[in-house]
Amino acid sequence: MSKTKNWILQGSYFETCNCETACPCVWLQPPTQGDCKLLVAWHIEQGHLGDQSLDGLNVAMACYSPGLMIDGNWQAALYIDERADDSQVDAIVQIFSGQQGGHPAILMSFVSEVLGVKKVKIDYQEQGNNRCMTIPGIAQADIESIQGITGGQATLSNPPLCVVTSHPTVVAKSKNYQYQDYDKNWQFSECNGYFSAFVYQP
């Protein structure tokens, strides 16, 4: 266990999974397909762990939950921006593995098996109502927000389980979602997506 340091991450994130929109897992309900196959991507606009800057880096995680997400037993695979040097990789692993506390520690408390950590090219893009992430040869996800009844984006705030607690999440739907790594081979479309800004800190 690493000694807790001063840290903060802020930027934007999105996720997509195989559940119908909107994913019932955030309400502690069963996944609509019985299990949840989740892909999450973060773009760190500004961040640091101690004196180590993490500005501009991208991170992604694939998670598999065999049933109710709140019951745990998740598998997780972490992907770190290939532009990160060794010290930045170590800092990202410390934060996203939960060693430095904060909301990532709550999320990682549900993980029983870490499939691996890889340093890869991660392309993260935001354009209007769309979010897109590509890891060549491993993952591709493209989601678009859903319009609310009064116009603008449909949002969801303060559910009992979520990837980001700092901001309301925009409800979205996937246009394309593919993930192939380890023993996984997932391909979905027209399924759940969420996105928002995010802040993580101890």
Side-chain angles (χ1 to χ4, degrees):
M1 180 69 72
S2 300
K3 183 178 179 182
T4 302
K5 301 177 182 178
N6 176 40
W7 67 275
I8 188 170
L9 300 180
Q10 49 193 341
S12 62
Y13 111 101
F14 81 87
E15 64 180 278
T16 185
C17 69
N18 61 316
C19 285
E20 297 293 334
T21 304
C23 173
C25 298
V26 300
W27 304 112
L28 313 184
Q29 299 300 307
T32 55
Q33 305 297 328
D35 56 11
C36 199
K37 297 167 180 172
L38 173 68
L39 185 67
V40 188
W42 296 265
H43 173 66
I44 303 167
E45 293 174 6
Q46 293 182 302
H48 68 86
L49 174 63
D51 296 330
Q52 180 61 64
S53 172
L54 301 172
D55 293 2
L57 296 176
N58 299 320
V59 180
M61 185 178 291
C63 292
Y64 173 73
S65 172
L68 270 174
M69 297 198 84
I70 197 72
D71 288 344
N73 298 314
W74 301 3
Q75 294 176 317
L78 182 65
Y79 300 91
I80 300 173
D81 200 317
E82 66 179 5
R83 298 171 298 164
D85 63 26
D86 290 347
S87 296
Q88 290 173 316
V89 168
D90 180 65
I92 288 170
V93 169
Q94 286 189 47
I95 291 172
F96 282 89
S97 68
Q99 296 176 50
Q100 292 293 327
H103 193 59
I106 294 173
L107 295 174
M108 290 304 294
S109 72
F110 297 107
V111 174
S112 59
E113 181 184 1
V114 176
L115 298 174
V117 179
K118 294 184 179 182
K119 192 172 173 180
V120 295
K121 177 178 174 62
I122 303 174
D123 181 41
Y124 184 108
Q125 295 186 20
E126 300 179 45
Q127 187 169 10
N129 295 325
N130 292 271
R131 300 293 183 271
C132 181
M133 186 273 291
T134 304
I135 303 174
I138 294 176
Q140 183 174 357
D142 186 1
I143 70 171
E144 184 174 12
S145 66
I146 293 172
Q147 182 172 308
I149 193 168
T150 60
Q153 297 169 331
T155 58
L156 185 155
S157 184
N158 197 31
L161 179 66
C162 57
V163 174
V164 168
T165 60
S166 59
H167 295 76
T169 189
V170 174
V171 180
K173 183 173 282 192
S174 62
K175 295 194 281 187
N176 179 48
Y177 167 23
Q178 299 178 55
Y179 174 75
Q180 306 90 25
D181 205 3
Y182 301 99
D183 62 341
K184 315 301 182 192
N185 188 358
W186 305 338
Q187 187 165 338
F188 308 102
S189 62
E190 300 298 313
C191 292
N192 184 73
Y194 293 131
F195 68 80
S196 73
F198 82 94
V199 177
Y200 289 155
Q201 55 192 342

